[in-house]
Amino acid sequence: MPYKPFHREEYPLDILSEFGLTEEMIYDLPDYVHERLESGLKSPLLPISIRQPFGLTHCYAKFCLTETEDGIDVLFSPKLKEADLSSFTDKERSLLLAGKVIVSDIEETLLSADGEESTQKIKAFVQLDRDTNGVVYSPTQIIGRNLMNINNEFDLTPEDILRFQHGGLVTTTFLDRDERITIGLDLFSENGVVVVAGDASRWEKMVRRQMPEYSFGNDGCWVNRGGVLSYVPENEFTQDICDALLRQAQRYGVGIDEQRDSDGYSLQRSYLPSNEEARQLTRSC
């Protein structure tokens, strides 16, 4: 693969906790989020707390892991107020708002040796992060070079390369063994090209998937309200969270102890579920 994978035991939890993301909050993220982080991709948009002299500042940001000489560090991408898409055509805006990577003309400011500024249009791969409203671009030559490296490994056709310019995905097999992989562009990844084992739906789930309304872990639940995530510890579950937990337990066949106490139902796993969402049900509510 074109990245060095990380492992959960390597997460810099001390750094994340400085920004209000506790160990429980991190480990209670769904499995697919950990797969993204371990592959060098970004987390969902999470609530961040920054300690100031006057108290805490609350905002939202994505983070990814990066390797430095001193170990694994964290890079944050904060949520911006708005994205300026006025320079793109209607078709380009539609593709960008759908999360696709496109090729478009971008005005870039250049600085001459004598300090004078000028602008010129360049061809670039462009992408919008719908969560943070950030628009990023990379000259086509850079991503093209990375695609050449991928091409050498997977023997892509000219039609495959052209497909990337319109936000498309390419599914192929390893040259030396019969394993399907899907390749696509994501400018928020380390080198702009993401290779995922499996078909196109697997790629979309890993790279584009959104957090569900309720995502249960061992110590709490991530709640998604219109794209805004919040973390609720188990001892602060509200009635709607408990109801959602019981519905998911029944859906995935998790055994339920029907005896009630002052805290409501007590849930016990009757077996180890294979479904990701079922595995993340908390033990009790």
Side-chain angles (χ1 to χ4, degrees):
M1 293 295 178
Y3 53 75
K4 175 187 180 298
F6 299 98
H7 302 284
R8 297 190 196 189
E9 59 268 20
E10 298 177 307
Y11 288 5
L13 297 173
D14 54 338
I15 299 175
L16 293 169
S17 66
E18 293 177 12
F19 291 86
L21 296 172
T22 66
E23 179 177 344
E24 292 78 14
M25 295 169 72
I26 295 300
Y27 286 139
D28 277 353
L29 288 167
D31 286 349
Y32 85 90
V33 174
H34 289 288
E35 290 180 20
R36 288 172 55 86
L37 292 172
E38 291 161 11
S39 300
L41 300 176
K42 291 184 180 180
S43 73
L45 195 68
L46 301 176
I48 303 297
S49 299
I50 303 171
R51 190 169 299 280
Q52 308 281 11
F54 52 80
L56 290 177
T57 297
H58 299 282
C59 60
Y60 290 87
K62 295 184 175 185
F63 78 86
C64 66
L65 305 178
T66 181
E67 189 173 24
T68 69
E69 293 182 356
D70 299 323
I72 297 177
D73 206 341
V74 178
L75 294 178
F76 286 98
S77 299
K79 180 177 176 62
L80 307 176
K81 290 186 177 180
E82 60 182 340
D84 182 10
L85 303 180
S86 60
S87 61
F88 298 98
T89 66
D90 290 342
K91 182 178 180 180
E92 288 175 335
R93 281 196 293 270
S94 177
L95 290 171
L96 289 171
L97 289 171
K100 304 293 186 180
V101 178
I102 66 170
V103 172
S104 182
D105 292 322
I106 296 293
E107 282 196 354
E108 187 168 74
T109 300
L110 302 177
L111 189 64
S112 66
D114 55 7
E116 292 187 3
E117 289 187 353
S118 62
T119 60
Q120 69 175 14
K121 287 190 175 182
I122 65 169
K123 285 286 186 184
F125 284 95
V126 187
Q127 185 176 7
L128 167 70
D129 186 325
R130 293 170 294 175
D131 295 323
T132 65
N133 286 324
V135 179
V136 296
Y137 70 89
S138 174
T140 54
Q141 294 90 336
I142 295 177
I143 300 300
R145 168 56 60 179
N146 292 344
L147 285 174
M148 284 181 61
N149 292 332
I150 293 293
N151 181 53
N152 292 336
E153 187 172 356
F154 299 112
D155 194 23
L156 303 180
T157 67
E159 291 76 16
D160 291 335
I161 300 298
L162 184 62
R163 196 173 302 151
F164 293 126
Q165 299 184 24
H166 304 284
L169 302 174
V170 173
T171 299
T172 183
T173 58
F174 281 106
L175 297 179
D176 56 346
R177 55 187 186 275
D178 187 22
E179 292 184 19
R180 292 173 67 80
I181 56 97
T182 298
I183 306 166
L185 300 185
D186 186 291
L187 302 187
F188 297 95
S189 63
E190 183 178 6
N191 57 23
V193 183
V194 179
V195 180
V196 172
D199 59 13
S201 63
R202 169 68 176 162
W203 193 98
E204 291 284 358
K205 281 184 178 181
M206 181 170 174
V207 180
R208 302 274 185 255
R209 184 174 176 180
Q210 301 295 306
M211 289 279 282
E213 183 176 7
Y214 299 98
S215 181
F216 293 97
N218 287 328
D219 298 291
C221 177
W222 282 100
V223 179
N224 184 349
R225 299 291 191 223
V228 178
L229 297 182
S230 61
Y231 182 77
V232 182
E234 185 176 357
N235 60 0
E236 297 178 15
F237 279 4
T238 58
Q239 187 61 50
D240 66 309
I241 297 177
C242 285
D243 291 343
L245 176 60
L246 292 172
R247 287 195 300 271
Q248 289 195 20
Q250 293 165 352
R251 183 186 311 154
Y252 298 116
V254 177
I256 298 178
D257 180 356
E258 296 187 359
Q259 288 188 342
R260 289 173 175 262
D261 55 24
S262 59
D263 295 325
Y265 286 110
S266 173
L267 302 184
Q268 301 291 333
R269 290 196 240 272
S270 57
Y271 63 90
L272 182 62
S274 59
N275 183 281
E276 173 189 326
E277 292 184 18
R279 289 200 305 271
Q280 291 180 308
L281 289 175
T282 49
R283 291 182 296 274
S284 62
C285 180

